[in-house]
Amino acid sequence: MSLLEVEDLRTYFYTEGGIVQAVDGVSFEVGRGETIGLVGESGAGKSVTVKSLLGLINPPGKVVDGSVRFDGRDLTECTERELRQEVRGSEISFVFQDPMSALNPVFTVGHQIAEIVEYHTDRSEKEAHERAVELLDDVGIPDPEQRADQYPHEFSGGMRQRALIAMALSCSPKLIIADEPTTALDVTIQAQILDLFDEIQEKYDTSVVYVTHDLGVVREVCDRVAVMYLGKVVEHAPYEELYRNPKHPYTQSLLRSVVRPDERADALNPIEGTMPSAIDPPSGCRFRTRCPVAVDDCARIEPPRIDVGPNHDSACILYKDEYGKMEEPTLHERGQR
Ligand SMILES: Nc1ncnc2c1ncn2[C@@H]1O[C@H](COP(=O)(O)OP(=O)(O)OP(=O)(O)O)[C@@H](O)[C@H]1O
Ligand code: SF4
Ligand SMILES: [Mg+2]
């Protein structure tokens, strides 16, 4: 059994402008010790998905359907109190993009980590402080003993993100959800943080849901990837398979827009157009307004996720059978001609 099983999750926002179908039938699983990437452009519904898992959606938003089974328990059935006391920050912890907003400026970093350790274990104040120093050391902060006594503003951006990761680890969670944790950092620091996620996973065997708009980042850390577009998962596969053999026209476009280190920036090939509103999304396939290989049926049929390879599925009507056969050449194939 997987650690996390998300099935047919739907989260809508009931706004004056209409119902925002931010997450509309999302399913994915995360195994123990596995890292999965949730990838897609801005507005795809990545953050709303991960917040929905932990009951962090506030009005006018609401999880309207679906189940979130975590370690055998359906989190959508839990009360706010149960989630707060038994799940958030203990079994599952979050690492956000902006560490400053998650750190309290008036307490030292060591104090903030020790507090969580004390709350979740029966360690004394002194032991909790020692554990905080150990955790700062684990996340690669030099001179952890001195650093533990400093305040968040005395840390650089990269160090703050490390401190936040130490905080996330302090309760020995089974799952870490990291929402764009490196986006605000420069490229070198970003690479170091990605390495850190790899090390953590090896040492603690923690599962990770890694949210990013950057397929290059996914390559560094993720075992499997779910590609999201306008509230839906359009393709899902192990990273290597997705990278070598992308099936969905959206994934193909995304991969073509990744700048590889050996390419010049002008090789960048962004996807044309912008993502439509989630208030009144296109009928049929939501990607059809930007899809270079769309056919008439794409407006009529909502494509289900179909197996297109081992542990690989894609939601595009051009795939008819299992391990699908394409009727039209793909953008990827066209681009390579
Ligand atoms: N509080 C809210 N009220 C109304 N709509 C919302 C709210 N929060 C999110 N949405 C909408 O839900 C959709 C998904 O947003 P979400 O934040 O999950 O995107 P994302 O994939 O995380 O994008 P980004 O890469 O920019 O973080 C968007 O259309 C967004 O406008
Ligand atoms: S279903 Fe149609 S519009 Fe959607 S990705 Fe496939 S070809 Fe493109
Ligand atoms: Mg987001």
Side-chain angles (χ1 to χ4, degrees):
M1 192 180 64
S2 292
L3 179 66
L4 178 72
E5 293 171 11
V6 179
E7 211 179 312
D8 207 24
L9 184 71
R10 283 170 214 270
T11 306
Y12 295 172
F13 291 89
Y14 295 84
T15 68
E16 281 182 8
I19 302 171
V20 182
Q21 301 172 23
V23 173
D24 202 24
V26 162
S27 304
F28 64 92
E29 292 182 8
V30 188
R32 287 167 205 273
E34 190 182 35
T35 296
I36 92 135
L38 271 190
V39 190
E41 286 166 285
S42 185
K46 308 179 297 293
S47 297
V48 173
T49 298
V50 293
K51 283 183 190 157
S52 302
L53 305 183
L54 285 182
L56 294 172
I57 298 293
N58 297 316
K62 190 173 181 322
V63 175
V64 293
D65 206 0
S67 65
V68 177
R69 292 203 76 78
F70 175 75
D71 218 8
R73 179 178 191 187
D74 190 344
L75 300 186
T76 58
E77 312 260 298
C78 290
T79 62
E80 168 59 25
R81 195 184 158 145
E82 285 169 337
L83 287 174
R84 203 176 47 236
Q85 292 187 342
E86 299 164 23
V87 183
R88 287 201 293 261
S90 49
E91 299 271 287
I92 305 178
S93 53
F94 260 106
V95 178
F96 293 102
Q97 177 178 343
D98 173 17
M100 215 44 192
S101 66
L103 290 165
N104 189 331
V106 303
F107 293 111
T108 64
V109 170
H111 174 86
Q112 295 183 56
I113 299 172
E115 214 174 21
I116 305 176
V117 174
E118 250 188 286
Y119 183 82
H120 291 290
T121 64
D122 48 14
R123 290 175 205 241
S124 66
E125 200 180 323
K126 183 167 171 285
E127 287 166 343
H129 182 80
E130 282 164 11
R131 178 67 184 137
V133 172
E134 223 172 84
L135 282 160
L136 287 174
D137 192 31
D138 272 358
V139 296
I141 293 189
D143 305 321
E145 268 173 52
Q146 288 77 28
R147 286 292 191 166
D149 293 334
Q150 292 184 335
Y151 292 86
H153 73 265
E154 297 176 84
F155 279 46
S156 66
M159 287 294 167
R160 280 202 284 267
Q161 194 54 285
R162 283 177 192 270
L164 206 65
I165 294 168
M167 241 161 125
L169 285 171
S170 58
C171 54
S172 311
K174 294 188 177 116
L175 175 70
I176 293 180
I177 295 175
D179 192 350
E180 304 267 10
T182 61
T183 306
L185 305 172
D186 75 44
V187 180
T188 321
I189 310 288
Q190 181 169 324
Q192 290 169 4
I193 298 284
L194 293 177
D195 284 345
L196 176 60
F197 267 97
D198 263 353
E199 285 167 28
I200 285 169
Q201 233 202 328
E202 264 181 38
K203 179 160 180 186
Y204 290 88
D205 202 28
T206 314
S207 305
V208 179
V209 175
Y210 199 102
V211 173
T212 176
H213 62 275
D214 185 342
L215 266 170
V217 163
V218 164
R219 174 170 33 187
E220 302 291 326
V221 282
C222 298
D223 303 310
R224 272 188 305 124
V225 184
V227 181
M228 283 190 73
Y229 186 81
L230 204 50
K232 293 188 179 288
V233 172
V234 296
E235 184 158 13
H236 156 262
Y239 179 76
E240 280 302 320
E241 164 74 3
L242 189 89
Y243 189 71
R244 267 189 275 113
N245 201 11
K247 297 289 192 189
H248 196 280
Y250 178 59
T251 314
Q252 292 166 356
S253 309
L254 267 188
L255 278 168
R256 283 158 59 88
S257 67
V258 174
V259 188
R260 284 176 279 273
D262 56 336
E263 286 177 345
R264 294 214 322 272
D266 61 7
L268 191 71
N269 193 348
I271 306 164
E272 271 182 37
T274 51
M275 189 151 38
S277 158
I279 288 186
D280 192 13
S283 63
C285 173
R286 291 188 175 185
F287 185 54
R288 71 178 163 82
T289 54
R290 297 165 78 191
C291 179
V293 292
V295 293
D296 289 347
D297 272 350
C298 300
R300 286 194 291 273
I301 301 166
E302 195 183 315
R305 284 169 65 179
I306 286 181
D307 287 342
V308 290
N311 206 9
H312 184 174
D313 62 76
S314 174
C316 168
I317 60 161
L318 298 182
Y319 295 93
K320 300 283 190 220
D321 7 273
E322 200 169 287
Y323 290 42
K325 228 171 77 222
M326 294 291 282
E327 290 186 336
E328 298 272 332
T330 66
L331 173 67
H332 198 63
E333 285 158 357
R334 284 180 182 175
Q336 289 181 350
R337 278 195 194 141

